[in-house]
Amino acid sequence: MSKLTNPESESSVTCGFYNSIGDRKYDAIQMSELFDGIINDGIFASIGTGFVVKADTGNIVNVGIGKAWFNHTWTKNDAILPVTCEESEVLLDRIDAIVIEVNSSIEVRDNFIKPIKGTPSSTPVTPTLSKNSIHCAISIVKLAQRK
């Protein structure tokens, strides 16, 4: 990344990309920022089935083929992905979610498609999804889990 400072002001200009001769270092966020304003966070409806989720047998749902852009990362699912949800509750209903989770912590640095279990209740609500600079999730579908 090139960092040029205008000597006549305190503002700076960032530019790129140029081949490195030992002086350039770009990180994933800088590469992804190229798409800011062009691609919005979300699922690409025109790719595959757009992650359409369909019931299978038992507690399994199948997440369809798709691609998403979220939190400066992309997630691609190129085959039907079976996801196992937890059993429904005996006495109360709940709402679960199938999500794309982005975990950019140094230890993980990966995206996942996974279920998030809701809280059992007589008036269930959608589970709260995390959203911060390191760990966030976007819902693909909400599933009503009836008692």
Side-chain angles (χ1 to χ4, degrees):
M1 175 176 74
S2 177
K3 200 79 160 159
L4 305 172
T5 304
N6 181 344
E8 297 175 13
S9 73
E10 292 297 316
S11 67
S12 64
V13 175
T14 303
C15 65
F17 299 100
Y18 294 95
N19 291 332
S20 177
I21 54 173
D23 62 337
R24 308 286 175 174
K25 293 182 181 177
Y26 303 108
D27 66 18
I29 293 294
Q30 290 165 320
M31 293 294 292
S32 298
E33 283 178 343
L34 174 68
F35 300 108
D36 286 351
I38 300 170
I39 301 174
N40 294 318
D41 282 355
I43 295 169
F44 297 106
S46 62
I47 296 177
T49 63
F51 293 116
V52 166
V53 176
K54 294 183 179 180
D56 197 343
T57 58
N59 295 328
I60 299 172
V61 296
N62 291 321
V63 179
I65 295 165
K67 194 174 201 179
W69 180 261
F70 185 53
N71 205 32
H72 289 106
T73 66
W74 55 269
T75 304
K76 179 180 176 184
N77 182 35
D78 61 6
I80 300 299
L81 177 68
V83 175
T84 303
C85 299
E86 289 194 34
E87 294 278 339
S88 59
E89 304 295 322
V90 175
L91 299 174
L92 299 169
D93 295 336
R94 75 167 191 267
I95 299 174
D96 294 347
I98 304 296
V99 302
I100 297 172
E101 180 182 78
V102 175
N103 187 331
S104 55
S105 69
I106 286 294
E107 302 81 22
V108 178
R109 297 179 303 138
D110 205 353
N111 296 0
F112 306 94
I113 296 175
K114 67 181 217 175
I116 301 289
K117 182 180 177 183
T119 303
S121 171
S122 56
T123 55
V125 296
T126 303
T128 302
L129 303 179
S130 61
K131 183 155 175 113
N132 59 51
S133 61
I134 293 175
H135 187 262
C136 50
I138 185 173
S139 180
I140 297 173
V141 69
K142 295 170 183 86
L143 305 169
Q145 298 284 1
R146 305 281 182 211
K147 58 185 174 212

